[in-house]
Amino acid sequence: FCSKTNMEQKRYSSETSNVKCNEQSERAIYPLDALRQDISKVLSNISGIDHSLILNALESTNNMNKGDLILPLPKIDVADPVAVAKRWATELIACGSLGEVCARGPFLQFSFDQKYLLQSTVPSILLQKRKYGQERPRYQKKVVVEFSSPNIAKPFHAGHLRSTIIGGFLSNLYEAMGWSVTRINYLGDWGRQFGLLAVGFERYGNEKQLQKQPIQHLFEVYVKINKDLAKEENNGTSQSGIGGEARNFFKKLENGDEDATSTWNRFRSLSIHHYVQTYSRLNINFDIFSGESQVPKKSMDEALNIFYRNNFVEEKDGALVIDLTQWSKSLGKVVVRKSDGTTLYLTRDVGAAMERKKNLKFDEMVYVISSQQDLYMSQLFMILQKMNFEWAKDLKHVNFGMVQGMSTRKGNVVFLDTILDEARDKALQIMKNNKMKISQVNDPQRVADLIGISAIIIQDMKSKRINNYEFNWSRMLSFEGDTGPYLQYTHSRLRSLERSSSNFTTDMLVHADFSKLNEPPLVELVRLLAQYPDILRRAFKTQEPATIVTYLFKLCHQISSCYKKVWIAGKTSDIAIPRLAIYSASRQVLHNAMTLLGLIPVDRM
Ligand code: ARG
C-alpha cells in the first residue's frame, strides 16, 4: 500500500502548515541522514512517538525495491503493527527529502523525493570529492591497527597477504570514519631459528645477494642450514655442531651481545627496506615496523611481576605456566616462560600490548590475524584482562580464513613480490591484445601492476573474511564478471567519458539543473550513490570489506546499464550536463570506494 499522489497533494498544503521538516538542525550531512531526520519528524508528529526512537529504528535497505529506508514497526513497539503501518502510510505528509511511503505488512518503506535526491546528492558528491562518505566526529579517537606481520627468513604466505590487504583496508576505513590511525607491522623476528640463520649466513651467505634480495636470500640460507642441521641430527651430533652454535648465537642475542645484535639488525633492516618497497606497490605505508625482537625486556619483566602479584602463575619443571581453564574451560594452559629463562611469543605479545598502550595511548587496537590464531588471541586477551588492564576491552581480533592452493605457476614458495609480478604480467598480456588502447596508456607496466593488484585484492574481499577460498589465477584475472579489473575498467570508462566532455566545467556540473532529467536508470544510480555513506558505516560495524565490494559491483552494474541507454554524445547541454554530472559523481564514489579497499583507480587501461 503506497501513497504518492496522495502525498504530493499533501506536500502542497504542508508547506504552509507549521510542520517544519528538514531544518538540518541536527548534523544531517548526507542525503540519507536528511531523509532519516525528515521521516522521524513527520512520523513523530502524527504518532506522538519520540523522534529519536524512530530515528534509531530506521534501517537502510539492501534492495532498492524496498525504498531508501525501512521502518520495522515491531522495533518501536506499537500494537498491531500491520494496521498501524497502513494508517500511517495514508496520514504521512511528503516533506523535504521524503517522497513516497509504502506499507508492507509491519514495515514502512520510505523513498526519496526525486527532486531532492538529485539536487542534494549529485552536487554534494562533486563538491566533497574524496571526502564524500567520510565522517568527522567531534572527538577524534586513536586506533592502532597491527597487520601483515611476516616472519623474517620465512616465506610470506597467503595468511600474510590476507592480513596485509584486510589490514590496509581497515586502516583506511578507520581513517574515513574520522579516527587517527597508527599502522604497525609486528615482524616475526625473534626466536631460536634466528641463531640458526646467523650460523647459516656464515656458511652460505652472500653479501651482494643479501643487499639485492634480502628476503629471498635469507630464506635460501635458512633452508640450506636447516638441511645441514637435519643431517647432523641424524648423525647424533647436534649438541656440538650447528645446533649448538645456533643456540649460542641466540643466547648472545638475548643477552644483548653487540656483535650478535648488529648482525641481526642488519638482516632485519635490509628485510624491512625491501618490504617497504613491496608494500608501497600496494599503496600501504606502515608507521611502525615493530616486531617480536623490539619488545623491551623491562615490559616483559613487568608482565611476569603482575602474573605473580595476581597469583595466577605456577611453576612446572622450571617453566612458568598460567592455567587459563580457571576462567574459561576452552582456553587451556599456556607457558609464559621457559625453563631456560627465555621468553615466548605469548609473553612478548603481552609486553608489546602494554608498551603500545603506554606509548600510543590508543582507544582501540585491532589485530588482523588469521583464524588459525583464534585460540591464541583469546588466551592473550584473557591474560591482559586478568592483569586488570581496563583497556583490555579495547582490543579486537579481526580474523580471516585460509587460502587453498596458492602457489606460483612454477609451484615454488611464494613471495609477495612474486604474486604481484605474476598478476601484473597476466594483466599486461591481456592489455596487449588491444593494440589501439595500449598505445594510449602512458606507462603500461604501471597500469598492469595496478590492475593485477586489484584482481588480487577483490578476489580476496569478495566474500566474508572468515571464509576459506581457493586461489585461482585464471578466474582472478578475468576482465569479465565481478572482478577487480572490471572495477578498473568501469572507472577508466567513466574517465574517458569525462575526457570527451571536458567542454563542460565542474562549475556547470555542480549547478546542473535536474528538472528535465527523467531516466529511471540514472535516478536509480543516484539512489545508490546516496547509500554510500551508510555502506561505509555498515562496513565499519562489521569490519567486512565484502560489504563494500558487494556495493561496488551493484554500482558498476547500474553504471553499465545506464551507459547502454543514456547517452551524452550529441545531446544539447541542458540534457548533457545533468547526465554528465551523475556520471561524474558516480566515478567519484567508485574512486572513493576503490581507494578505501586499497586499489589505485586507473584513468586508462
Ligand atoms: N608473525 C606471526 C605469524 O606469521 C603473526 C603475528 C601476529 N601478531 C601478533 N601480535 N601475534 O604467524
Side-chain angles (χ1 to χ4, degrees):
F1 179 83
C2 294
S3 61
K4 181 165 187 175
T5 41
N6 201 5
M7 290 186 65
E8 284 307 318
Q9 288 158 10
K10 280 190 280 183
R11 170 188 290 278
Y12 176 73
S13 59
S14 80
E15 272 161 13
T16 52
S17 82
N18 57 3
V19 182
K20 288 220 178 94
C21 62
N22 197 22
E23 275 175 296
Q24 311 231 340
S25 53
E26 278 152 77
R27 302 187 323 130
I29 41 167
Y30 292 120
L32 264 184
D33 297 322
L35 183 59
R36 283 194 182 86
Q37 295 285 353
D38 286 345
I39 293 168
S40 39
K41 255 174 220 163
V42 286
L43 200 53
S44 169
N45 263 323
I46 61 165
S47 67
I49 291 173
D50 184 49
H51 167 258
S52 61
L53 203 70
I54 301 171
L55 197 63
N56 291 330
L58 282 167
E59 292 173 0
S60 39
T61 58
N62 49 15
N63 173 352
M64 287 193 308
N65 294 331
K66 294 184 186 154
D68 297 292
L69 288 172
I70 292 188
L71 182 69
L73 292 198
K75 254 180 120 177
I76 52 170
D77 223 5
V78 292
D80 198 357
V82 176
V84 172
K86 211 165 172 183
R87 196 176 76 233
W88 282 353
T90 49
E91 286 175 12
L92 268 176
I93 292 169
C95 184
S97 61
L98 177 58
E100 190 184 19
V101 57
C102 298
R104 291 257 184 282
F107 296 94
L108 278 176
Q109 302 176 350
F110 303 93
S111 305
F112 272 118
D113 171 62
Q114 183 174 316
K115 196 169 135 214
Y116 175 89
L117 170 74
L118 298 170
Q119 216 78 268
S120 73
T121 309
V122 180
S124 78
I125 295 171
L126 294 174
L127 287 169
Q128 292 177 62
K129 299 198 170 78
R130 294 184 185 201
K131 295 221 160 84
Y132 177 70
Q134 300 186 357
E135 307 270 323
R136 284 285 153 255
R138 237 158 286 180
Y139 305 103
Q140 193 183 42
K141 291 194 189 167
K142 279 189 178 171
V143 65
V144 170
V145 185
E146 187 218 274
F147 62 106
S148 195
S149 309
N151 304 319
I152 288 179
K154 288 202 193 142
F156 190 104
H157 57 65
H160 298 124
L161 177 65
R162 295 209 73 190
S163 174
T164 306
I165 60 188
I166 295 171
F169 157 72
L170 279 179
S171 307
N172 295 342
L173 185 60
Y174 270 91
E175 249 158 24
M177 291 291 117
W179 290 59
S180 141
V181 180
T182 305
R183 295 164 170 82
I184 293 192
N185 196 325
Y186 185 71
L187 297 170
D189 58 359
W190 200 249
R192 291 236 322 268
Q193 71 270 29
F194 296 113
L196 194 58
L197 183 67
V199 176
F201 197 77
E202 270 169 25
R203 286 198 187 185
Y204 300 111
N206 174 314
E207 200 52 40
K208 264 210 187 113
Q209 286 277 54
L210 180 69
Q211 301 283 343
K212 227 174 92 197
Q213 289 193 305
I215 292 166
Q216 209 145 335
H217 185 55
L218 289 175
F219 175 63
E220 282 158 14
V221 167
Y222 187 61
V223 170
K224 281 186 193 156
I225 195 72
N226 257 306
K227 276 197 189 129
D228 292 354
L229 180 69
K231 257 188 236 150
E232 209 182 74
E233 276 170 349
N234 275 341
N235 302 334
T237 50
S238 70
Q239 272 319 73
S240 49
I242 302 171
E245 274 178 62
R247 261 190 300 280
N248 263 342
F249 184 93
F250 184 60
K251 201 160 227 150
K252 279 197 213 159
L253 211 49
E254 282 237 315
N255 294 333
D257 174 89
E258 241 173 74
D259 281 350
T261 308
S262 97
T263 304
W264 175 230
N265 276 343
R266 227 161 48 84
F267 292 168
R268 186 176 186 272
S269 59
L270 284 169
S271 300
I272 291 177
H273 182 73
H274 189 84
Y275 279 131
V276 168
Q277 294 171 347
T278 310
Y279 288 130
S280 80
R281 267 173 93 177
L282 290 166
N283 207 19
I284 290 173
N285 289 303
F286 286 95
D287 301 291
I288 300 174
F289 274 91
S290 142
E292 292 166 45
S293 74
Q294 305 298 299
V295 183
K297 189 166 179 305
K298 205 172 65 191
S299 65
M300 286 184 283
D301 287 345
E302 193 186 329
L304 289 169
N305 276 337
I306 299 176
F307 297 163
Y308 276 117
R309 215 184 314 135
N310 291 9
N311 246 332
F312 55 67
V313 270
E314 34 188 291
E315 249 180 84
K316 270 227 167 87
D317 310 322
L320 285 185
V321 177
I322 301 180
D323 181 1
L324 295 164
T325 58
Q326 58 184 307
W327 302 304
S328 169
K329 273 261 164 333
S330 59
L331 292 183
K333 289 183 178 182
V334 292
V335 179
V336 289
R337 200 182 66 194
K338 290 207 270 190
S339 52
D340 62 2
T342 50
T343 52
L344 289 138
Y345 184 54
L346 178 63
T347 324
R348 288 187 176 266
D349 254 325
V350 174
M354 291 163 65
E355 202 62 17
R356 290 177 198 172
K357 181 63 193 182
K358 197 170 74 198
N359 298 332
L360 302 169
K361 302 186 178 57
F362 56 77
D363 297 284
E364 211 171 273
M365 174 151 71
V366 182
Y367 295 84
V368 187
I369 308 174
S370 127
S371 59
Q372 282 170 311
Q373 295 188 32
D374 278 358
L375 172 64
Y376 172 77
M377 292 310 287
S378 311
Q379 293 169 332
L380 173 64
F381 290 177
M382 179 61 91
I383 290 173
L384 290 165
Q385 189 191 318
K386 294 300 173 185
M387 291 170 84
N388 293 330
F389 291 130
E390 122 336 285
W391 47 267
K393 65 174 189 338
D394 306 324
L395 308 179
K396 265 192 200 162
H397 174 204
V398 172
N399 62 0
F400 51 82
M402 307 233 295
V403 181
Q404 282 117 9
M406 185 164 103
S407 60
T408 58
R409 271 174 291 199
K410 291 186 204 104
N412 41 20
V413 181
V414 195
F415 292 91
L416 179 54
D417 296 292
T418 326
I419 304 171
L420 302 186
D421 290 351
E422 286 212 26
R424 179 199 57 209
D425 295 347
K426 200 136 195 186
L428 196 60
Q429 212 179 316
I430 295 171
M431 283 166 69
K432 280 183 180 153
N433 290 341
N434 192 331
K435 295 234 157 46
M436 236 275 282
K437 265 189 164 174
I438 200 172
S439 71
Q440 295 178 336
V441 175
N442 256 340
D443 183 350
Q445 281 272 336
R446 165 83 177 146
V447 170
D449 197 31
L450 298 182
I451 293 172
I453 287 168
S454 332
I456 294 169
I457 294 182
I458 295 303
Q459 142 88 22
D460 187 277
M461 293 179 164
K462 260 169 93 166
S463 57
K464 286 209 169 128
R465 279 187 276 112
I466 199 63
N467 292 343
N468 303 335
Y469 68 80
E470 191 81 41
F471 193 81
N472 182 335
W473 283 108
S474 62
R475 193 187 75 193
M476 213 174 62
L477 278 171
S478 150
F479 278 43
E480 310 301 322
D482 291 348
T483 58
Y486 171 60
L487 298 178
Q488 291 286 16
Y489 172 69
T490 310
H491 184 268
S492 66
R493 230 172 141 193
L494 288 170
R495 264 295 189 224
S496 138
L497 183 72
E498 287 179 324
R499 281 193 299 269
S500 59
S501 341
S502 56
N503 51 321
F504 300 120
T505 63
T506 311
D507 196 54
M508 290 158 102
L509 299 185
V510 168
H511 294 103
D513 172 7
F514 294 101
S515 55
K516 280 199 208 142
L517 189 123
N518 207 7
E519 282 72 29
L522 273 191
V523 178
E524 289 295 282
L525 180 54
V526 179
R527 290 175 69 199
L528 271 175
L529 300 181
Q531 283 186 353
Y532 182 60
D534 265 42
I535 296 291
L536 288 199
R537 293 171 190 160
R538 197 182 311 157
F540 189 60
K541 241 184 233 157
T542 58
Q543 316 244 302
E544 286 287 357
T547 307
I548 290 172
V549 174
T550 308
Y551 168 79
L552 268 182
F553 286 127
K554 239 192 242 176
L555 183 66
C556 287
H557 296 156
Q558 192 61 30
I559 291 170
S560 18
S561 60
C562 288
Y563 232 95
K564 282 186 204 122
K565 296 176 213 148
V566 191
W567 292 51
I568 290 178
K571 297 284 181 259
T572 50
S573 53
D574 58 328
I575 308 250
I577 289 174
R579 288 182 181 182
L580 183 62
I582 293 174
Y583 281 123
S584 199
S586 308
R587 192 206 55 80
Q588 186 68 61
V589 173
L590 183 56
H591 181 284
N592 293 2
M594 285 170 75
T595 314
L596 194 81
L597 293 174
L599 315 188
I600 300 178
V602 303
D603 289 349
R604 294 177 198 266
M605 65 185 266

